[in-house]
Amino acid sequence: MTYTLDWDEQAPRLAAAATDEAGWYAAVAAELVRDTDRVAIDVGCGGAGMTVALARRIDRVIAADHNEKVLDAARTVVADAGATAEFAVVDLDKPLDLPEADLVWSSAAVHHAGDQQATLDKLARLVRPGGRLAIAEGGLRPRHLPWDVGVGEPGLEVRLDAAQDRFFARMRAELPGSVPMPYGWPEALRRAGLEDVTTRTFLLERPVPLSAADRERVVAQLGRRLEWLRDTDLLAGEDRRTWERLLDPDGPDWLGHRDDLHSIEARSVQLGTRKRKTREP
Protein backbone atom coordinates (compact mmCIF):
# COMPACT_ATOMS: atom_id res chain seq x y z
CA MET A 1 0.00 0.00 0.00
CA THR A 2 1.22 3.49 -0.82
CA TYR A 3 -0.19 6.27 1.30
CA THR A 4 -1.36 9.16 -0.86
CA LEU A 5 -3.76 11.96 -0.10
CA ASP A 6 -4.69 14.51 -2.77
CA TRP A 7 -4.94 17.71 -0.75
CA ASP A 8 -6.21 19.62 -3.78
CA GLU A 9 -9.26 17.35 -3.76
CA GLN A 10 -9.58 17.61 0.03
CA ALA A 11 -9.75 21.43 0.04
CA PRO A 12 -13.55 21.77 -0.48
CA ARG A 13 -14.28 19.13 2.17
CA LEU A 14 -11.99 20.84 4.68
CA ALA A 15 -13.70 24.18 4.05
CA ALA A 16 -17.15 22.64 4.50
CA ALA A 17 -16.09 20.91 7.72
CA ALA A 18 -14.67 24.17 9.11
CA THR A 19 -17.99 25.91 8.60
CA ASP A 20 -20.00 22.97 9.91
CA GLU A 21 -17.89 22.76 13.08
CA ALA A 22 -17.69 26.50 13.75
CA GLY A 23 -19.32 26.03 17.15
CA TRP A 24 -16.61 23.63 18.31
CA TYR A 25 -13.82 25.96 17.19
CA ALA A 26 -15.49 28.90 18.93
CA ALA A 27 -15.81 26.93 22.18
CA VAL A 28 -12.14 25.88 22.10
CA ALA A 29 -10.95 29.39 21.24
CA ALA A 30 -12.98 30.80 24.14
CA GLU A 31 -11.01 28.59 26.54
CA LEU A 32 -7.59 29.12 24.96
CA VAL A 33 -7.40 32.84 24.22
CA ARG A 34 -6.25 35.31 26.86
CA ASP A 35 -7.08 39.01 26.92
CA THR A 36 -3.39 39.80 26.50
CA ASP A 37 -2.92 37.69 23.36
CA ARG A 38 -2.02 39.71 20.28
CA VAL A 39 -0.70 37.18 17.77
CA ALA A 40 -1.93 33.65 17.02
CA ILE A 41 -0.92 31.12 14.37
CA ASP A 42 -3.06 28.29 13.03
CA VAL A 43 -0.54 25.77 11.66
CA GLY A 44 -2.07 23.27 9.25
CA CYS A 45 -5.15 25.47 9.11
CA GLY A 46 -7.12 23.29 6.69
CA GLY A 47 -10.50 24.91 6.14
CA ALA A 48 -9.68 27.73 8.62
CA GLY A 49 -12.29 26.89 11.23
CA MET A 50 -9.96 27.84 14.07
CA THR A 51 -8.53 30.74 12.09
CA VAL A 52 -11.97 32.35 12.06
CA ALA A 53 -12.57 31.63 15.76
CA LEU A 54 -9.20 33.14 16.70
CA ALA A 55 -9.66 36.16 14.42
CA ARG A 56 -12.79 37.08 16.35
CA ARG A 57 -10.70 37.37 19.53
CA ILE A 58 -7.12 38.28 18.56
CA ASP A 59 -5.73 41.23 16.58
CA ARG A 60 -3.37 39.29 14.30
CA VAL A 61 -3.95 35.73 13.13
CA ILE A 62 -1.82 33.82 10.62
CA ALA A 63 -3.25 30.76 8.86
CA ALA A 64 -0.52 28.43 7.58
CA ASP A 65 -0.81 25.30 5.44
CA HIS A 66 1.31 23.40 2.94
CA ASN A 67 -1.19 23.35 0.06
CA GLU A 68 -2.15 26.37 -2.04
CA LYS A 69 -5.65 25.13 -2.87
CA VAL A 70 -6.34 24.43 0.79
CA LEU A 71 -5.21 27.98 1.56
CA ASP A 72 -7.42 29.36 -1.23
CA ALA A 73 -10.42 27.57 0.30
CA ALA A 74 -9.41 28.88 3.74
CA ARG A 75 -9.30 32.44 2.40
CA THR A 76 -12.86 32.06 1.18
CA VAL A 77 -14.04 30.71 4.54
CA VAL A 78 -12.37 33.60 6.39
CA ALA A 79 -13.79 36.20 4.01
CA ASP A 80 -17.30 34.71 4.14
CA ALA A 81 -17.14 34.88 7.95
CA GLY A 82 -16.27 38.57 7.82
CA ALA A 83 -12.95 37.88 9.54
CA THR A 84 -9.39 38.97 8.72
CA ALA A 85 -6.26 36.83 8.66
CA GLU A 86 -2.86 36.51 7.03
CA PHE A 87 -1.91 33.37 5.08
CA ALA A 88 1.39 31.53 4.70
CA VAL A 89 2.66 28.39 2.99
CA VAL A 90 4.61 26.08 5.31
CA ASP A 91 5.93 22.52 5.32
CA LEU A 92 6.01 20.82 8.71
CA ASP A 93 9.02 18.75 7.66
CA LYS A 94 11.05 21.93 6.97
CA PRO A 95 11.98 25.04 8.99
CA LEU A 96 8.93 27.19 9.74
CA ASP A 97 9.28 30.78 8.54
CA LEU A 98 6.71 32.23 10.91
CA PRO A 99 6.84 34.89 13.65
CA GLU A 100 6.60 34.24 17.36
CA ALA A 101 3.06 34.12 18.72
CA ASP A 102 1.19 34.20 21.99
CA LEU A 103 -0.84 31.17 20.90
CA VAL A 104 0.10 28.51 18.36
CA TRP A 105 -2.67 26.10 17.35
CA SER A 106 -2.44 22.96 15.23
CA SER A 107 -5.28 20.51 14.62
CA ALA A 108 -4.84 17.03 13.12
CA ALA A 109 -1.70 18.16 11.31
CA VAL A 110 1.30 16.98 13.34
CA HIS A 111 0.49 13.30 12.74
CA HIS A 112 1.12 13.90 9.01
CA ALA A 113 4.75 14.86 9.72
CA GLY A 114 7.43 12.18 9.47
CA ASP A 115 9.04 13.17 12.76
CA GLN A 116 6.22 14.27 15.05
CA GLN A 117 8.48 15.17 17.97
CA ALA A 118 10.75 17.31 15.81
CA THR A 119 7.67 19.05 14.44
CA LEU A 120 6.37 19.78 17.94
CA ASP A 121 9.80 21.11 18.83
CA LYS A 122 9.54 23.56 15.91
CA LEU A 123 6.03 24.60 16.87
CA ALA A 124 7.11 25.16 20.47
CA ARG A 125 9.89 27.48 19.30
CA LEU A 126 7.25 29.71 17.67
CA VAL A 127 5.68 30.35 21.08
CA ARG A 128 6.67 33.46 22.96
CA PRO A 129 7.79 33.03 26.58
CA GLY A 130 4.61 32.67 28.62
CA GLY A 131 2.62 31.76 25.50
CA ARG A 132 0.95 28.45 24.71
CA LEU A 133 1.04 25.70 22.13
CA ALA A 134 -2.25 23.84 21.69
CA ILE A 135 -2.64 20.80 19.45
CA ALA A 136 -5.83 18.91 18.69
CA GLU A 137 -4.55 15.34 18.49
CA GLY A 138 -6.07 12.27 20.08
CA GLY A 139 -9.48 11.61 21.56
CA LEU A 140 -12.12 9.07 20.56
CA ARG A 141 -13.27 8.38 17.02
CA PRO A 142 -16.85 9.21 16.02
CA ARG A 143 -19.62 6.71 16.67
CA HIS A 144 -22.63 6.60 14.36
CA LEU A 145 -24.19 3.14 14.22
CA PRO A 146 -26.02 0.80 16.56
CA TRP A 147 -23.86 -2.18 17.55
CA ASP A 148 -26.14 -4.43 15.50
CA VAL A 149 -27.42 -2.84 12.28
CA GLY A 150 -29.24 -5.99 11.14
CA VAL A 151 -26.83 -6.54 8.24
CA GLY A 152 -23.64 -8.56 8.60
CA GLU A 153 -21.99 -9.36 11.91
CA PRO A 154 -22.60 -7.02 14.88
CA GLY A 155 -19.74 -4.71 15.88
CA LEU A 156 -19.22 -3.47 12.33
CA GLU A 157 -18.12 0.04 13.29
CA VAL A 158 -15.67 -1.24 15.90
CA ARG A 159 -13.96 -3.37 13.26
CA LEU A 160 -13.85 -0.37 10.93
CA ASP A 161 -11.97 1.53 13.64
CA ALA A 162 -9.51 -1.36 14.01
CA ALA A 163 -8.90 -1.43 10.26
CA GLN A 164 -8.36 2.32 10.24
CA ASP A 165 -5.84 1.99 13.08
CA ARG A 166 -3.85 -0.48 10.98
CA PHE A 167 -4.15 1.87 8.00
CA PHE A 168 -2.80 4.73 10.12
CA ALA A 169 0.16 2.61 11.27
CA ARG A 170 1.05 1.81 7.65
CA MET A 171 0.62 5.45 6.67
CA ARG A 172 2.96 6.57 9.44
CA ALA A 173 5.55 3.95 8.45
CA GLU A 174 5.53 5.12 4.81
CA LEU A 175 5.95 8.83 5.51
CA PRO A 176 9.37 10.21 4.45
CA GLY A 177 11.66 10.36 7.45
CA SER A 178 9.17 8.52 9.63
CA VAL A 179 10.25 8.32 13.28
CA PRO A 180 8.32 6.37 15.95
CA MET A 181 6.91 8.34 18.86
CA PRO A 182 6.24 5.66 21.49
CA TYR A 183 4.67 7.98 24.07
CA GLY A 184 1.63 10.21 24.34
CA TRP A 185 1.04 13.77 23.24
CA PRO A 186 1.42 15.33 26.73
CA GLU A 187 4.87 13.76 27.07
CA ALA A 188 5.74 14.98 23.58
CA LEU A 189 4.88 18.56 24.59
CA ARG A 190 7.03 18.24 27.70
CA ARG A 191 9.92 16.96 25.58
CA ALA A 192 9.43 20.03 23.37
CA GLY A 193 10.33 22.12 26.42
CA LEU A 194 6.84 23.16 27.47
CA GLU A 195 5.53 23.17 31.02
CA ASP A 196 2.15 23.05 32.77
CA VAL A 197 1.02 20.52 30.15
CA THR A 198 -2.66 19.60 30.32
CA THR A 199 -5.28 17.82 28.22
CA ARG A 200 -8.84 19.03 27.72
CA THR A 201 -11.29 16.79 25.86
CA PHE A 202 -14.33 18.23 24.11
CA LEU A 203 -17.48 16.28 23.32
CA LEU A 204 -19.02 16.79 19.88
CA GLU A 205 -22.56 15.49 19.72
CA ARG A 206 -25.48 16.05 17.34
CA PRO A 207 -29.08 15.98 18.61
CA VAL A 208 -30.88 12.67 18.05
CA PRO A 209 -32.76 11.98 15.90
CA LEU A 210 -30.30 13.44 13.42
CA SER A 211 -31.50 16.00 10.95
CA ALA A 212 -31.47 15.08 7.27
CA ALA A 213 -28.33 17.17 6.82
CA ASP A 214 -26.59 15.43 9.73
CA ARG A 215 -27.55 11.99 8.41
CA GLU A 216 -26.07 13.00 5.08
CA ARG A 217 -22.83 14.07 6.78
CA VAL A 218 -22.60 10.80 8.70
CA VAL A 219 -23.09 8.68 5.59
CA ALA A 220 -20.55 10.78 3.65
CA GLN A 221 -18.01 10.49 6.46
CA LEU A 222 -18.37 6.71 6.64
CA GLY A 223 -18.08 6.55 2.86
CA ARG A 224 -14.78 8.44 2.94
CA ARG A 225 -13.41 6.11 5.60
CA LEU A 226 -14.30 3.11 3.47
CA GLU A 227 -12.73 4.72 0.41
CA TRP A 228 -9.38 4.92 2.21
CA LEU A 229 -9.53 1.19 2.91
CA ARG A 230 -10.96 0.06 -0.43
CA ASP A 231 -7.68 -0.99 -2.05
CA THR A 232 -6.17 -2.54 1.08
CA ASP A 233 -6.37 -5.91 2.80
CA LEU A 234 -7.31 -4.33 6.12
CA LEU A 235 -11.05 -4.99 6.03
CA ALA A 236 -12.49 -8.50 5.88
CA GLY A 237 -14.40 -9.39 2.72
CA GLU A 238 -17.67 -9.92 4.58
CA ASP A 239 -17.43 -6.54 6.26
CA ARG A 240 -16.55 -4.88 2.95
CA ARG A 241 -19.68 -6.34 1.35
CA THR A 242 -21.78 -5.25 4.31
CA TRP A 243 -20.52 -1.69 4.03
CA GLU A 244 -21.24 -1.67 0.31
CA ARG A 245 -24.86 -2.56 1.09
CA LEU A 246 -25.14 0.06 3.80
CA LEU A 247 -23.65 2.80 1.63
CA ASP A 248 -25.64 2.02 -1.51
CA PRO A 249 -28.25 4.82 -1.83
CA ASP A 250 -30.29 2.66 -4.21
CA GLY A 251 -30.38 -0.37 -1.91
CA PRO A 252 -32.88 -1.27 0.83
CA ASP A 253 -30.21 -1.11 3.58
CA TRP A 254 -28.90 2.39 2.85
CA LEU A 255 -27.86 4.12 6.07
CA GLY A 256 -29.44 7.35 4.94
CA HIS A 257 -32.89 5.82 5.51
CA ARG A 258 -32.23 5.01 9.19
CA ASP A 259 -33.48 7.18 12.03
CA ASP A 260 -31.29 5.46 14.64
CA LEU A 261 -28.00 6.95 13.47
CA HIS A 262 -26.16 9.12 15.98
CA SER A 263 -23.06 11.30 15.95
CA ILE A 264 -20.80 11.49 18.98
CA GLU A 265 -17.06 12.13 19.14
CA ALA A 266 -14.42 13.23 21.67
CA ARG A 267 -11.54 15.49 20.59
CA SER A 268 -8.59 16.09 22.88
CA VAL A 269 -6.63 19.33 22.95
CA GLN A 270 -3.13 19.13 24.40
CA LEU A 271 -1.87 22.41 25.85
CA GLY A 272 1.57 23.46 27.05
CA THR A 273 3.16 26.76 28.09
CA ARG A 274 6.59 28.04 27.13
CA LYS A 275 8.58 28.94 30.21
CA ARG A 276 9.03 32.64 30.84
CA LYS A 277 12.57 33.98 30.74
CA THR A 278 14.06 34.53 34.15
CA ARG A 279 15.62 37.90 34.92
CA GLU A 280 19.34 38.07 35.58
CA PRO A 281 20.07 38.76 39.24
Side-chain angles (χ1 to χ4, degrees):
M1 180 187 76
T2 300
Y3 169 75
T4 57
L5 190 58
D6 189 331
W7 290 105
D8 286 2
E9 290 185 358
Q10 295 294 317
R13 180 186 66 80
L14 293 173
T19 301
D20 183 49
E21 297 177 354
W24 179 73
Y25 287 113
V28 176
E31 294 207 10
L32 292 179
V33 175
R34 297 171 175 168
D35 292 340
T36 55
D37 290 342
R38 294 294 177 264
V39 180
I41 307 175
D42 183 356
V43 181
C45 67
M50 182 55 90
T51 301
V52 170
L54 293 173
R56 299 192 191 284
R57 294 175 172 272
I58 297 179
D59 296 336
R60 183 187 182 194
V61 177
I62 303 167
D65 207 285
H66 75 293
N67 182 276
E68 289 283 6
K69 287 197 174 180
V70 170
L71 281 175
D72 285 343
R75 289 186 181 94
T76 299
V77 170
V78 171
D80 289 348
T84 302
E86 302 169 34
F87 296 87
V89 178
V90 299
D91 185 335
L92 291 179
D93 289 321
K94 297 179 181 179
L96 300 177
D97 185 16
L98 293 166
E100 280 193 340
D102 302 290
L103 176 63
V104 176
W105 165 266
S106 185
S107 175
V110 176
H111 67 247
H112 290 289
D115 190 334
Q116 297 171 105
Q117 184 64 65
T119 298
L120 286 173
D121 294 347
K122 286 185 283 189
L123 293 179
R125 287 194 289 271
L126 295 176
V127 181
R128 290 174 177 166
R132 288 91 60 228
L133 169 62
I135 61 168
E137 296 280 2
L140 299 174
R141 282 205 180 97
R143 278 285 183 268
H144 301 304
L145 306 182
W147 180 69
D148 187 349
V149 296
V151 181
E153 183 182 350
L156 186 67
E157 197 170 14
V158 175
R159 293 193 298 281
L160 178 64
D161 284 347
Q164 194 166 345
D165 279 341
R166 293 191 294 272
F167 176 91
F168 182 78
R170 290 186 184 181
M171 177 274 284
R172 287 284 322 152
E174 290 185 1
L175 286 174
S178 179
V179 177
M181 193 181 80
Y183 44 85
W185 293 107
E187 174 63 19
L189 290 185
R190 286 189 285 268
R191 294 190 185 197
L194 302 178
E195 59 184 13
D196 299 328
V197 176
T198 61
T199 299
R200 168 80 159 83
T201 299
F202 295 79
L203 179 68
L204 285 75
E205 186 175 15
R206 302 280 182 173
V208 175
L210 298 182
S211 66
D214 284 337
R215 284 201 306 273
E216 183 178 329
R217 292 187 191 98
V218 165
V219 174
Q221 184 183 58
L222 289 169
R224 285 192 297 271
R225 292 175 66 184
L226 265 295
E227 191 62 34
W228 296 337
L229 300 170
R230 189 175 302 280
D231 296 326
T232 74
D233 60 352
L234 298 174
L235 202 61
E238 181 182 352
D239 281 351
R240 190 188 308 273
R241 290 187 289 274
T242 298
W243 281 111
E244 288 174 355
R245 290 176 61 181
L246 295 174
L247 295 171
D248 180 4
D250 297 321
D253 301 310
W254 184 49
L255 290 176
H257 291 314
R258 301 184 69 115
D259 61 6
D260 60 354
L261 297 181
H262 49 273
S263 183
I264 185 168
E265 176 184 0
R267 293 183 188 172
S268 294
V269 175
Q270 324 288 338
L271 178 68
T273 301
R274 184 172 178 182
K275 186 176 182 180
R276 294 183 182 275
K277 295 179 179 178
T278 56
R279 294 182 179 180
E280 295 292 335

